[in-house]
DNA sequence: CCTTGTGAAGCTGTTCACAGCC
DNA sequence: GGCTGTGAACAGCTTCACAAGG
């Protein structure tokens, strides 16, 4: 649950706020879009608009990385893209393992958006013997028991939990035991992990429940947004 | 992108912070778990532990809804569950429409976690004529052109975008035109909507990119967590 | 005694507004 | 003149610590 901001005990003062880290991939995408449009230089206004954020926030975010812009001119799209990519580790590909190849796990294994963002689904794993050995998105499903071997062999540090909630904790334990140090949890359950392991949670139901809350409020009040 | 906090121009002072709203479904799930364990009363400590939050935060969150606990005793699980459910509109079911029945849309349509949380996938829609008419998870896929009719007939106010990024804005426009006022966007693209429409975004790649950033930092520093 | 409910303090993140530089 | 980079003000969220009350 707690994403630790590594304090960097040594001198190299580099504590990028979590909120900023979460937006850097968005900026990267916006820069890629600009490149495709043939734009080679952009202002913080241009980029902010493409990314859907306030220009001041964008500039502040970028200031945590360094001074990569030119006053009076703006940012060089390609140069900035490279700097952000380097900062968030996108100059290399990251191999991930997906645990659970039900509907969601299968969909994730086929997700096109990963490959263009430096994420490579390197292995699929399932506890169900009936699924082990089948091929999904061109990858043969392995047994959960083979997790340690797979993680070590492919140097995987990121695991995705796409199992039912009841299996989530056990899967998390096994991932950690196998050497995984970052987990993306899609299961609707809380997972406990030791210090040094990051967990992020994506809860599909909760997102909809939040929208439902706002819908209910809209229905309750006549006017929604005061002009 | 901006989730508006409805200001409630009238007297009924009820401005629940966004951060709290996002946690209420988590508390609901924790309460359900406690009920299944046969627990009928719990302290803020018990519940907070089950929900993975700090007890003080839990109490403050609940205080926005009212005073539903008993000092010296704790909370009645069933009573609190009902109060939260009522607050976030979980006493009724919400019909949603999913646009795009590729891998992700199909997986979502089959997702078990929705039904138990008051979300009902009422309709599936796709722009591809080859998919229209097929049946997925027991629902016949309709044409994108039928969206207005479907939304009106089933009184749908929440739509899910599960298309490629390139189609997202057009789909959002059509959803809004059809009368949808809340959108959950899984496409890796920014969508613009008029005031009064809520959009939440779930970006699968970005979650992994954030984890990759932290992984990179761990690899860079020897010690991760200073004891 | 116990646990809730809550002012107050502290922290993180956002926005403003302008100095600095091209 | 224009745009970046940033201190400072602001807003929102979290945590503390304790009064209130069963």
């Amino acid at each position: 649950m707690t994403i630790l901001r590594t304090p960097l005990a040594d001198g190299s003062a580099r504590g990028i706020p979590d909120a900023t880290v979460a937006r850097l991939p968005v900026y990267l995408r916006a820069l890629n879009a600009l490149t495709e449009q043939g734009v080679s230089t952009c202002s913080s206004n241009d980029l902010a608009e493409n990314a859907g954020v306030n220009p001041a926030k964008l500039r502040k975010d970028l200031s945590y990385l360094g001074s990569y812009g030119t006053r009076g001119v703006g940012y060089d799209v390609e140069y900035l893209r490279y700097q952000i990519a380097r900062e968030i580790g996108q100059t290399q590909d990251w191999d991930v393992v997906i645990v659970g190849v039900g509907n969601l796990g299968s969909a994730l294994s086929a997700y096109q958006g990963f490959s263009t963002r430096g994420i490579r689904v390197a292995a699929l794993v399932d506890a169900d013997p009936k699924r082990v050995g089948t091929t999904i998105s061109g990858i043969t499903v392995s047994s959960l028991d083979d997790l340690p071997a797979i993680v070590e062999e492919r140097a995987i540090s990121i695991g995705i939990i796409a199992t039912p909630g009841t299996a989530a904790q056990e899967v998390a334990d096994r991932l950690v035991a196998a050497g995984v140090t970052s987990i993306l949890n899609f299961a609707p359950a809380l997972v406990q992990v030791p210090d040094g392991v990051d967990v992020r949670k994506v809860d599909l139901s909760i997102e909809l429940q939040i929208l439902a809350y706002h819908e209910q409020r809209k229905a309750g009040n006549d006017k929604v947004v005061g002009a």
Side-chain angles (χ1 to χ4, degrees), chain A residues 11-193:
Chain A
S12 66
R14 205 97 72 55
I16 300 182
D18 289 346
T20 296
V21 170
R23 282 187 296 265
L24 291 179
V26 178
Y27 301 154
L28 212 42
R29 179 171 304 158
L31 286 167
N32 286 334
L34 288 174
T35 299
E36 278 171 27
Q37 290 165 35
V39 177
S40 63
T41 305
C42 68
S43 68
S44 65
N45 266 303
D46 300 337
L47 187 52
E49 193 166 334
N50 266 271
V53 303
N54 175 309
K57 193 193 291 192
L58 171 82
R59 289 201 301 275
K60 178 137 289 210
D61 283 343
L62 294 184
S63 78
Y64 292 117
L65 312 191
S67 287
Y68 297 133
T70 310
R71 293 171 200 236
V73 179
Y75 301 91
D76 181 277
V77 172
E78 185 49 36
Y79 180 60
L80 184 59
R81 201 203 58 74
Y82 172 74
Q83 291 299 342
I84 296 178
R86 187 176 52 77
E87 188 68 40
I88 67 175
Q90 270 242 40
T91 45
Q92 65 178 283
D93 271 7
W94 292 88
D95 280 351
V96 305
V97 55
I98 298 178
V99 182
V101 288
N103 287 296
L104 186 58
S106 301
L108 291 173
S109 71
Y111 187 57
Q112 300 294 325
F114 288 155
S115 53
T116 55
R117 265 132 216 147
I119 309 291
R120 185 166 50 203
V121 177
L124 302 178
V125 160
D126 202 295
D128 184 348
K130 284 194 285 293
R131 286 174 175 164
V132 174
T134 61
T135 299
I136 295 176
S137 308
I139 301 170
T140 302
V141 177
S142 301
S143 163
L144 188 53
D145 296 326
D146 296 334
L147 203 51
I150 292 167
V151 168
E152 186 179 7
E153 190 191 327
R154 311 226 34 173
I156 291 173
S157 53
I158 301 176
I160 299 178
I161 300 178
T163 66
T166 47
Q169 183 62 58
E170 150 129 37
V171 168
D173 293 343
R174 281 176 174 243
L175 282 169
V176 171
V180 163
T181 47
S182 285
I183 294 175
L184 182 55
N185 179 24
F186 283 93
L190 190 68
V191 304
Q192 310 270 6
V193 294

